[in-house]
Amino acid sequence: MPSLIHASLRSPSRTGRPDFARRRTGRARAALGALLIAFSLGVAACSTTGGGARQVSAIQVDAARAAQLISAYRAQNGLGPVKVESRLMRVAARYARVMGERDKIKHGIGGSLPKRLGAAGYDWGYAAENLAASYSSLDEAMAGWKASPGHRRNLLSPYATEIGIAAVATPPGSEHRNYWALVLATPQPERVVAVGSIR
């Protein structure tokens, strides 16, 4: 039976927009860590028991089509589009592989989302992750995410501008036949410093 799990991270300011500068403070990091722990249960149990590493193979996922599907869904809800980002693709691919090798759908088994984004060189201002298992296709995974309130909230986040998506197939005898990872994020805005003098 398909399974889903999600998490999202952001540091809102008093205006309701992401406050990218505050993200680097200790208090903001603690709040973001707490948000990462807040999970939503999906169709079935989100954790499975798995043994050692298994041999998995990448499933070809059309990332451009995924971005189009997500962007169309967002447009129906008055939100802007998302685009594919190569570092987020690597983050999603690595995490789908970790889940598949361990035969477990769970956040944090391959490191926290902020750490994984940082390791990929992605300086994030907002980040969210939707996970899924045992869906036969991109369309099925998208339908599952849309039907789940927490996953839908991530798809429709006003802060998301970029995505990475990946899936792996697992060998016979695995708890789930495949694992999906979708990362939605927005990069930290580039800081501009203006220095001037008046004489």
Side-chain angles (χ1 to χ4, degrees):
M1 173 176 258
S3 296
L4 300 168
I5 189 168
H6 83 280
S8 63
L9 309 164
R10 76 169 188 263
S11 180
S13 69
R14 292 180 187 174
T15 64
R17 293 187 179 152
D19 185 351
F20 299 108
R22 288 179 54 218
R23 179 178 65 80
R24 297 192 183 277
T25 68
R27 184 176 289 162
R29 283 186 183 165
L32 291 174
L35 283 173
L36 181 61
I37 296 170
F39 298 123
S40 166
L41 293 178
V43 177
C46 292
S47 292
T48 62
T49 57
R54 298 166 180 263
Q55 292 290 350
V56 298
S57 56
I59 295 172
Q60 291 296 336
V61 179
D62 187 341
R65 183 167 176 270
Q68 289 171 348
L69 290 171
I70 295 167
S71 294
Y73 185 53
R74 291 169 59 82
Q76 293 169 2
N77 290 275
L79 297 166
V82 294
K83 64 181 179 179
V84 176
E85 206 283 335
S86 61
R87 291 168 296 179
L88 298 181
M89 290 294 294
R90 288 193 300 274
V91 170
R94 287 182 187 134
Y95 205 70
R97 179 164 295 282
V98 166
M99 289 190 297
E101 288 173 348
R102 298 187 187 181
D103 200 16
K104 184 180 290 188
I105 179 170
K106 184 177 179 182
H107 291 284
I109 58 175
S112 69
L113 181 57
K115 285 183 181 177
R116 289 183 277 128
L117 290 169
Y122 189 89
D123 192 15
W124 61 275
Y126 166 83
E129 182 173 65
N130 283 358
L131 305 178
S134 294
Y135 284 94
S136 300
S137 66
L138 173 60
D139 292 309
E140 283 189 14
M142 285 295 300
W145 288 327
K146 287 179 184 180
S148 165
H151 298 89
R152 181 170 55 248
R153 188 169 37 254
N154 286 347
L155 292 172
L156 298 178
S157 170
Y159 308 115
T161 59
E162 299 177 335
I163 68 157
I165 189 167
V168 297
T170 56
S174 299
E175 178 75 21
H176 295 287
R177 65 181 180 262
N178 56 49
Y179 288 88
W180 294 78
L182 169 66
V183 178
L184 303 105
T186 297
Q188 170 107 352
E190 190 173 319
R191 292 180 183 90
V192 177
V193 177
V195 178
S197 60
I198 301 174
R199 294 186 180 185

